[in-house]
Amino acid sequence: MTNSTITLAEDLTITRMGYGAMQLAGPGVFGPPKDRDQAIAVLREAVALGVTHIDTSDFYGPTVVNEIIKEALHPYPEDLVLVTKVGARRGDDASWIPDLSPDALRAQVHDNLDHLGLDVLDVVNLRSMAHEGHSEESIAESFTTLAELQQQGLIKHLGLSSVTIPQIREAQAIAPIVTIQNLYNLVNRDDDDVVEYAAEHNIAFASFFPLGGFTPLQSETLAKVAARLDATPQQVALAWLLQRSATSVVIPGTSSLAHLRENVAARDLVLPADAITELDTIGA
């Protein structure tokens, strides 16, 4: 079973198979979902299936997803870890607006606390940039703001999103980090170096868009391997990520109960060496 748990700190253990809650908002991750009851059912089923790692943010909706999580799961199971992120806000036109100023970050942390119904956040990732591409700009001021909120007891653990190794090292000089969340999947392997760095330092590497996100993964090789293993291409792509490194975790998102169960089943799929060799050619 590839879905071992991973212990990242004395008080932080998560399942490597997580759940990303982004798709529980409306189209474009904006506004309410078409079926709120279904969204609640998906969250409860994820927990029932043994997932203890849910990824969210107050800018999903905005506020909508966190409010649904609270309605579905509060009071939260003792072993459930909610990982949120800050560093952006939403425009009235559903645009994503980076906002890493200290005042904005403090407000975002308090908004996450309020809408999730928590006194302290388990993990907060500082998102440095938009989904695509990286910046080498310093994140010291922004990360220091989160470290101060951690010292005040509002955050247990810190992480980063959409970052490079120099930015990771810059943050580590300020406070320990337990998670890195970057764009990475079977096809997009630009961050191989970050995956390796995370494994060396026992930091969870959470691939966002593990199945391609808004443009789902398409590969003839992937389809052939999946057919041979009697699995879906999505399951094979997730299993590949789980076997990619000892600290890889996945947070596939869906608003469908059937897709949720299919995704979670990927934790039991062990890819043979020849399949991995074949799949590795996709992103080469």
Side-chain angles (χ1 to χ4, degrees):
M1 181 169 169
T2 48
N3 185 48
S4 54
T5 58
I6 179 172
T7 297
L8 304 166
E10 191 176 326
D11 61 341
L12 182 65
T13 297
I14 59 174
T15 48
R16 294 180 63 208
M17 173 60 73
Y19 170 73
M22 184 175 77
Q23 292 187 32
L24 297 184
V29 200
F30 198 73
K34 186 170 66 176
D35 188 338
R36 189 182 181 94
D37 289 342
Q38 173 85 350
I40 289 170
V42 166
L43 284 162
R44 289 176 176 165
E45 179 70 0
V47 171
L49 291 170
V51 171
T52 66
H53 167 206
I54 293 178
D55 177 82
T56 186
S57 175
D58 213 53
F59 50 65
Y60 294 162
T63 79
V64 170
V65 170
N66 278 352
E67 289 167 349
I68 292 173
I69 289 172
K70 180 183 176 184
E71 182 179 345
L73 301 175
H74 194 281
Y76 300 111
E78 198 172 320
D79 62 347
L80 183 65
V81 176
L82 297 176
V83 179
T84 190
K85 66 188 77 62
V86 294
R89 56 188 171 84
R90 304 299 295 278
D92 293 337
D93 59 352
S95 58
W96 301 78
I97 304 164
D99 198 342
L100 294 161
S101 66
D103 284 349
L105 293 174
R106 283 189 281 268
Q108 290 169 49
V109 166
H110 282 284
D111 286 343
N112 276 280
L113 287 165
D114 290 346
H115 296 129
L116 288 168
L118 291 169
D119 296 321
V120 56
L121 297 169
D122 296 320
V123 183
V124 175
N125 289 327
L126 176 71
R127 173 181 159 176
S128 76
M129 287 292 290
H131 290 319
E132 300 285 352
H134 294 308
S135 164
E136 293 296 349
E137 289 180 8
S138 170
I139 58 171
E141 181 184 34
S142 302
F143 195 74
T144 296
T145 299
L146 294 187
E148 289 168 353
L149 292 169
Q150 183 184 38
Q151 289 162 7
Q152 292 167 25
L154 298 179
I155 302 170
K156 290 181 186 175
H157 300 283
L158 299 174
L160 301 168
S161 178
S162 297
V163 286
T164 58
I165 289 176
Q167 289 172 323
I168 296 165
R169 290 189 173 124
E170 183 180 40
Q172 286 177 305
I174 296 166
I177 66 169
V178 297
T179 61
I180 297 166
Q181 190 179 110
N182 280 15
L183 174 61
Y184 186 82
N185 55 48
L186 190 55
V187 174
N188 188 322
R189 304 202 31 198
D190 293 345
D191 280 359
D192 274 332
D193 60 336
V194 183
V195 174
E196 301 295 346
Y197 185 92
E200 289 166 15
H201 294 82
N202 194 46
I203 298 167
F205 183 92
S207 311
F208 70 69
F209 291 164
L211 298 174
F214 300 118
T215 51
L217 300 181
Q218 297 289 332
S219 163
E220 192 177 338
T221 301
L222 174 59
K224 284 180 180 175
V225 171
R228 199 165 72 236
L229 298 175
D230 195 25
T232 68
Q234 292 82 1
Q235 287 173 327
V236 171
L238 292 172
W240 180 86
L241 283 167
L242 288 172
Q243 289 178 236
R244 173 63 183 84
S245 86
T247 64
S248 285
V249 302
V250 293
I251 45 172
T254 180
S255 57
S256 156
L257 282 166
H259 286 159
L260 171 71
R261 293 176 186 127
E262 180 183 295
N263 289 341
V264 173
R267 67 189 176 189
D268 300 320
L269 179 60
V270 179
L271 302 178
D274 62 328
I276 291 175
T277 300
E278 208 172 329
L279 293 166
D280 282 346
T281 65
I282 297 172

